[in-house]
Amino acid sequence: MGFEILRPGALSTVQDKGRRGFLSQGIQESGACDKYSMKLANLLAGNLEEPETAAVIEFTLKGGEIRFTSEEIIALTGGDMTPCINEKPVPMFSPLLVRKGDILTMGLAVSGLRTYMAVYGGIEVPSVMGSRSTNLKCRMGGLEGRALLEGDYLESGKDLRQFKKMIKKLKGNEKLAAVDEDEPWLRHSSTPYRFYGNDRMVLLRAVMGPQENAFTELGLNTLIRNPFRLSTDCDRMACKLEGEPIELKNGADIISDGIVEGSVQISSDRLPMVLMSDHQTTGGYAKIATVISTDIPALAQLKPGEWVAFQYVTPGEAVAICRKEEEKLRIFKERLKNIIYR
Amino acid sequence: MIQIKPVGDCGVLVELGDSISEEVNSKVMELNRRIHGLSVEGILETVPAFCSVLICYDPLKTDYGAVSKVLSLLSESLEGKTGLRGKLVEIPVCYGGSFGPDLSFVAEHGKITEEEVIRIHSSRDYRIYMLGFLPGFPYLGGMDERIFTPRLNSPRTRIPAGSVGIGGEQTGIYSMDSPGGWQLIGRTPYRLFKPEQVGKPLYEAGDSIRFVPISQEEYKEIKRNQEMG
């Protein structure tokens, strides 16, 4: 029992929090680009104990069309692709009860870039090396290691008895469980933004280094004193930025070392590239800074042409921000437990 | 000269030198072993590279201060013993023919015969300095300079998995189908990347590789056995 992909959208993949423990073998984490929205979708869909490990679908830029072949609890978060069920608009950030035969349709993202659909029980694909995430580069995980195609059939891993109990409690109370419009801070990750002219500019907080010594004082300041915009060269591997070139002392080449999600690499064109969840595991370009984990989701929701700025924070500040963000979701989970799933 | 640096809110980089040498890389492997031996709370994984170790931690369980303190203690008095350590892994390679379309170019470039290229390439053990680029792709050091060969001017769009190549002063194995610009001299029947098989990989950084020349018949035989499991 699950759902059928009638139209797959631009790039739709099965993801969870990612595959950890294999970077030393050259296998990247993968996982949802916007992990905040993934976790929120899972909580809303009733996966209270598995917000990180229940697999979801990540839609990019343009959603698709899905036909449900059984009753499910689903939830949509992240970018707004104007979702409709049976041609009627449905709310995001809310649990949705779908019936057998219902068709979910999504269009182009009118805000954000990536939309997450969670299903109660999680999407049931085989766990490969500890994760259900699709790794497109290694062609593993998810559904046959690839993006979803028309005609694919996915199942949810729900326990039917538990599901019936959940439905009973949820029916008619969906609004109570939803994250309302008056709680925008809970709908998205807590990354600050400013305005650049009339445009919104996301402020990415980053820890300087580890190769700060490869840059001049001017170069280190250029990163934080100028706006950058996303180029068209952005995908699940990296976001290439455009803007003021960053001055290096010598060349951009270093002896290759390990890379993390968020690494801000400056290559020979002296422009920043922020590595995303499908990043290569090692690289030979100097890294001026690392975007903190809390701010990756906000970057993952930007389209080419949109603006970012950088701000340096200390590792201590970054860890504190990360813990505060986690606390936000923990409190929301308690709320769901207390008002719906008592 | 040991440097410990923050990598965002989830990582620490320990730099143990600034050159590619067996001594520095031995220290890297030694530190990596010490970290894994200790199983520190909150440390998720490590990425040993040519002269550094990247340590990834869970910021909900620990923080930069705590992890860097442990790492600075662990980085004390690393010996950096040279000489090959780790295990020696033999990789059978069928050289030349359709598996090694660039073998003749490598021979020509080095002004030696194809047989000599094979003999030179397979007559020493190569240290795995690091894995990266592709899953299971080994960065090998210590190739004989007589077979140094520049990369192709325009990279091939698809190199079959198992291809053994030479790129400048390095040699390596393409662990999966991939674009690439190295000169291809042979192919191994071994499948180096098997996502469906969780467990110990064939080799890790710090191990060594020895290429063993095999015939086409042997290649087919091993390939058959591999596919049967």
Side-chain angles (χ1 to χ4, degrees):
Chain A
M1 286 308 182
F3 51 91
E4 188 191 346
I5 308 292
L6 302 179
R7 281 188 293 125
L11 175 71
S12 308
T13 53
V14 176
Q15 299 292 349
D16 57 18
K17 73 163 175 179
R19 197 168 276 111
R20 288 314 299 252
F22 304 98
L23 287 175
S24 63
Q25 296 177 37
I27 301 167
Q28 48 278 93
E29 299 106 292
S30 309
C33 284
D34 174 353
K35 292 188 181 67
Y36 181 86
S37 295
M38 175 202 79
K39 288 188 245 182
L40 183 63
N42 270 326
L43 291 176
L44 287 164
N47 299 320
L48 298 183
E49 304 309 323
E50 310 82 26
E52 297 193 317
T53 50
V56 303
I57 297 184
E58 176 182 280
F59 297 95
T60 315
L61 190 62
K62 188 174 186 291
E65 199 168 83
I66 288 171
R67 179 168 52 216
F68 295 90
T69 57
S70 60
E71 197 178 24
E72 305 281 355
I73 304 170
I74 67 164
L76 298 162
T77 61
D80 184 358
M81 296 182 178
T82 57
C84 290
I85 289 182
N86 304 332
E87 293 172 11
K88 282 200 195 82
V90 288
M92 296 185 61
F93 307 101
S94 168
L96 300 169
L97 293 174
V98 295
R99 291 156 309 172
K100 183 179 173 181
D102 279 356
I103 291 180
L104 168 71
T105 318
M106 289 187 286
L108 269 175
V110 291
S111 74
L113 177 66
R114 296 181 164 98
T115 302
Y116 293 85
M117 183 184 90
V119 186
Y120 175 69
I123 290 167
E124 194 61 17
V125 291
S127 171
V128 180
M129 300 173 95
S131 165
R132 295 185 167 84
S133 286
T134 311
N135 183 329
L136 294 170
K137 213 175 159 195
C138 298
R139 297 187 281 278
M140 64 189 267
L143 190 68
E144 298 166 2
R146 58 167 172 81
L148 299 178
L149 296 173
E150 184 187 324
D152 281 342
Y153 186 77
L154 289 165
E155 286 183 32
S156 63
K158 61 177 188 251
D159 168 336
L160 270 178
R161 263 180 50 198
Q162 199 62 30
F163 179 67
K164 285 200 174 116
K165 276 192 216 159
M166 300 283 282
I167 288 269
K168 219 167 148 187
K169 287 177 177 168
L170 188 61
K171 220 163 202 165
N173 288 324
E174 292 98 320
K175 260 208 138 93
L176 220 55
V179 181
D180 232 328
E181 265 169 48
D182 59 2
E183 297 176 300
W185 52 275
L186 187 53
R187 289 187 159 196
H188 301 284
S189 60
S190 312
T191 298
Y193 61 90
R194 290 183 189 147
F195 281 92
Y196 185 66
N198 288 324
D199 296 336
R200 224 171 71 115
M201 180 166 75
V202 166
L203 193 60
L204 300 173
R205 292 160 295 184
V207 176
M208 196 191 280
Q211 276 93 40
E212 70 273 23
N213 293 333
F215 299 89
T216 61
E217 192 71 34
L218 177 70
L220 291 171
N221 282 327
T222 304
L223 184 73
I224 53 167
R225 298 221 173 119
N226 295 278
F228 290 90
R229 72 195 303 176
L230 272 73
S231 74
T232 50
D233 200 4
C234 292
D235 54 21
R236 283 184 47 86
M237 284 183 341
C239 284
K240 180 90 195 168
L241 305 179
E242 289 166 349
E244 197 69 33
I246 307 240
E247 191 178 81
L248 288 133
K249 283 182 190 156
N250 299 305
D253 292 0
I254 58 160
I255 297 173
S256 291
D257 64 5
I259 283 180
V260 298
E261 184 182 32
S263 288
V264 186
Q265 175 174 283
I266 309 291
S267 50
S268 37
D269 62 4
R270 299 193 293 143
L271 291 173
M273 179 186 256
V274 186
L275 280 301
M276 303 298 277
S277 55
D278 277 355
H279 65 88
Q280 72 250 34
T281 56
T282 57
Y285 291 121
K287 293 171 282 295
I288 189 169
T290 312
V291 175
I292 67 172
S293 58
T294 307
D295 290 348
I296 297 287
L299 177 60
Q301 290 296 353
L302 296 181
K303 295 191 192 86
E306 294 191 294
W307 296 96
V308 295
F310 290 90
Q311 182 186 49
Y312 293 129
V313 292
T314 66
E317 288 166 340
V319 167
I321 293 167
C322 170
R323 289 180 181 175
K324 210 171 147 197
E325 188 79 339
E326 195 62 25
E327 185 65 6
K328 214 168 91 176
L329 286 172
R330 196 192 61 77
I331 291 170
F332 180 61
K333 177 176 139 182
E334 290 309 309
R335 178 168 119 189
L336 286 176
K337 273 187 169 170
N338 290 332
I339 56 175
I340 303 288
Y341 302 113
R342 274 181 303 248
Chain B
M1 175 215 56
I2 295 166
Q3 292 210 52
I4 299 180
K5 292 171 166 179
V7 179
D9 57 338
C10 305
V12 182
L13 185 72
V14 183
E15 293 179 335
L16 297 172
D18 51 10
S19 62
I20 298 178
S21 74
E22 209 177 308
E23 192 198 332
V24 175
N25 193 245
S26 294
K27 287 185 181 174
V28 166
M29 298 311 157
E30 205 174 330
L31 174 59
N32 194 47
R33 269 195 300 274
R34 287 184 187 180
I35 297 166
H36 285 273
L38 213 62
S39 67
V40 187
E41 165 79 5
I43 291 187
L44 298 172
E45 59 184 312
T46 63
V47 188
F50 287 105
C51 39
S52 66
V53 186
L54 170 69
I55 295 93
C56 301
Y57 64 84
D58 178 352
L60 300 178
K61 296 210 173 100
T62 184
D63 60 24
Y64 176 67
V67 176
S68 57
K69 201 178 274 173
V70 172
L71 290 172
S72 100
L73 286 172
L74 290 180
S75 306
E76 273 176 25
S77 59
L78 292 166
E79 288 177 62
K81 273 192 197 140
T82 51
L84 297 171
R85 299 270 294 266
K87 58 179 185 294
L88 176 66
V89 180
E90 294 196 339
I91 303 285
V93 179
C94 181
Y95 286 95
S98 59
F99 291 154
D102 305 322
L103 180 63
S104 58
F105 180 81
V106 173
E108 241 170 78
H109 185 266
K111 299 190 178 65
I112 48 177
T113 64
E114 292 185 12
E115 288 68 37
E116 278 174 298
V117 173
I118 297 171
R119 192 181 52 73
I120 291 167
H121 188 258
S122 61
S123 67
R124 59 171 73 176
D125 300 338
Y126 300 93
R127 180 188 184 84
I128 304 175
Y129 280 85
M130 176 177 92
L131 297 179
F133 170 54
L134 294 173
F137 182 93
Y139 284 84
L140 303 175
M143 193 169 67
D144 191 307
E145 58 184 34
R146 284 175 289 172
I147 51 176
F148 286 0
T149 318
R151 291 171 171 80
L152 297 175
N153 284 331
S154 54
R156 292 186 171 94
T157 51
R158 186 183 161 272
I159 289 175
S163 294
V164 175
I166 291 176
E169 304 181 7
Q170 286 182 302
T171 180
I173 318 164
Y174 285 89
S175 47
M176 59 185 296
D177 293 356
S178 152
W182 287 20
Q183 308 280 357
L184 305 182
I185 58 171
R187 198 182 300 170
T188 176
Y190 278 7
R191 271 185 69 201
L192 302 175
F193 173 58
K194 293 170 263 188
E196 69 277 15
Q197 277 180 19
V198 188
K200 266 253 167 281
L202 191 57
Y203 47 72
E204 295 168 289
D207 291 339
S208 299
I209 279 180
R210 179 182 295 168
F211 295 108
V212 181
I214 55 167
S215 65
Q216 290 218 18
E217 286 65 43
E218 287 171 298
Y219 178 97
K220 282 179 195 152
E221 176 75 28
I222 298 173
K223 190 92 186 163
R224 243 195 323 273
N225 290 339
Q226 287 252 313
E227 271 154 22
M228 282 160 66

